[in-house]
Amino acid sequence: MPLPDTIYCAQQINIPPQLPDILKSFTKAAIRTQPKDLVLWSAAYFSALSKGECLPVKDRLEMNVATPERDTGLTPGLLTILHKQLSAGQTCSKEELQKKWKGLCLPMDQLETLLLLGGFGSEIDWMEFFALCCNALGGTLLSSLKFACEILTEDEEGGAARIPFNTFVKLYTYLAHLDGDMMQDHIDNYLSSLQAQVNKQNGMIQVSNFYISRK
């Protein structure tokens, strides 16, 4: 005796009317994001879609910034996705970070290196981890901060890339301490030197307004 759900002809297959739009959006997202592992990324995409979460999709197609000497797999576009997915609170769990990182097909050994470098436990200060990721992209303190501003800004692309000064202070201070070569007095003096510019911009700072000195 056949099972009740046995399909005998194509007319018995019920295709939800919204399916073509879902597949069309998925295809566009895959082309824009260019995941290294389409199957792994697709699982993350549809899991997020079913839960109403932020999708692992880049805002636009981008060129990989990796070089032969510095290939982490991470790009500004992928870090932007992670920030959207995990920055709702001040912290995120290590388990959730691992899940989102894997869903973007990023190398797990790189994640473990970053977690070890930051000395993180089961709960992770998101902005500190974000700063480490910017450092992985930039390699220098100045480049890292520029990446951070460009990702965090609410200005339109190509604009001033402004961010709140208190956010800049947190990122700069964390990375400067991580660098290990800067004294606290130098850090404080540098931040004080920016204050006049910040006051003129209502508590904001933009990429063109800062430089990094080690003296």
Side-chain angles (χ1 to χ4, degrees):
M1 183 175 181
L3 295 174
D5 59 348
T6 300
I7 295 175
Y8 295 100
C9 62
Q11 285 73 16
Q12 290 179 271
I13 301 175
N14 181 29
I15 300 177
Q18 65 269 34
L19 183 59
D21 290 335
I22 292 175
L23 294 179
K24 184 177 180 180
S25 296
F26 165 75
T27 302
K28 288 182 177 179
I31 293 172
R32 199 159 63 239
T33 305
Q34 296 285 305
K36 292 183 178 180
D37 186 328
L38 182 59
V39 174
L40 182 62
W41 177 83
S42 298
Y45 177 93
F46 285 111
S47 175
L49 184 64
S50 67
K51 297 175 183 177
E53 298 175 347
C54 178
L55 299 176
V57 180
K58 291 180 181 178
D59 294 331
R60 63 191 64 83
L61 188 65
E62 66 172 348
M63 296 297 293
N64 198 323
V65 298
T67 66
E69 296 78 21
R70 197 176 190 83
D71 184 5
T72 66
L74 192 63
T75 68
L78 294 175
L79 182 53
T80 299
I81 295 172
L82 286 171
H83 182 68
K84 290 178 179 178
Q85 292 176 323
L86 297 169
S87 64
Q90 292 184 346
T91 64
C92 67
S93 69
K94 180 179 179 180
E95 181 181 5
E96 186 66 11
L97 173 58
Q98 290 172 326
K99 177 183 175 182
K100 299 302 185 185
W101 188 275
K102 183 178 180 181
L104 291 173
C105 311
L106 288 166
M108 297 305 293
D109 58 341
Q110 178 68 14
L111 173 60
E112 293 306 315
T113 298
L114 290 170
L115 292 175
L116 183 62
L117 180 62
F120 299 110
S122 58
E123 285 295 315
I124 296 167
D125 183 303
W126 172 249
M127 290 306 293
E128 290 183 359
F129 183 80
F130 175 82
L132 286 179
C133 289
C134 289
N135 187 60
L137 289 173
T140 67
L141 183 54
L142 178 59
S143 295
S144 302
L145 290 167
K146 285 185 174 181
F147 274 119
C149 288
E150 289 165 0
I151 292 171
L152 296 176
T153 187
E154 295 184 1
D155 293 336
E156 294 184 1
E157 185 179 7
R162 297 168 299 176
I163 65 171
F165 186 57
N166 59 348
T167 300
F168 177 86
V169 169
K170 181 177 178 66
L171 293 170
Y172 171 76
T173 303
Y174 180 76
L175 288 174
H177 284 153
L178 189 70
D179 183 276
D181 292 334
M182 291 192 187
M183 301 295 291
Q184 185 61 49
D185 286 347
H186 173 84
I187 295 173
D188 294 339
N189 290 336
Y190 172 70
L191 293 174
S192 295
S193 72
L194 297 174
Q195 195 62 58
Q197 299 170 357
V198 171
N199 291 339
K200 293 178 182 178
Q201 298 185 49
N202 298 317
M204 306 290 283
I205 188 170
Q206 63 190 62
V207 169
S208 60
N209 286 153
F210 64 83
Y211 67 95
I212 304 299
S213 169
R214 292 183 173 276
K215 294 181 180 181

